Amino acid sequence: QKAEGFPPTDEKAYLKGISELPDLTLLLEKQGVLREYVAWRDFDVKWLDGDAWGAKGENSIENCEAKSSEFQTWSSTVKTYSFRRTVAFWRAVMCCEGCLLFLWVDLITTY
């Protein structure tokens, strides 16, 4: 549900409303979080200007090339990768099957 009168159509009234908001700097300082707020505000302004650093692993050309070389270290070819993935899958399936057989044999002999 939208707030009445939002978004504002009169820019002067909107700016007047913003100027009437209280200054919370003293309250933040009293609570001991002013330094954190200023750091967050500065970072947010940089982010809005497009000057922020991305998160670790951000999708960029450099990171994709690094991941590609890391992949080639572990699996030199697609065939090797596919073989290792298949072996890992069947190991998990056989482990689950062995656990179920172990439980079923015990349940059958019990009843």
Side-chain angles (χ1 to χ4, degrees), residues 31-94:
Q31 292 179 350
V33 293
L34 181 62
R35 184 174 289 165
E36 288 178 46
Y37 168 73
V38 170
W40 175 83
R41 181 192 63 197
D42 293 342
F43 179 77
D44 193 45
V45 168
K46 287 180 183 177
W47 181 78
L48 289 173
D49 290 339
D51 189 31
W53 297 321
K56 182 179 180 185
E58 182 179 9
N59 195 14
S60 65
I61 291 174
E62 295 84 17
N63 287 336
C64 288
E65 289 172 351
K67 291 289 183 185
S68 175
S69 66
E70 184 180 311
F71 173 77
Q72 289 175 354
T73 302
W74 285 98
S75 301
S76 57
T77 63
V78 174
K79 188 175 181 180
T80 305
Y81 172 75
S82 297
F83 174 74
R84 289 180 179 169
R85 191 177 76 181
T86 303
V87 169
F89 171 78
W90 285 111
R91 275 174 104 184
V93 168
M94 292 298 163

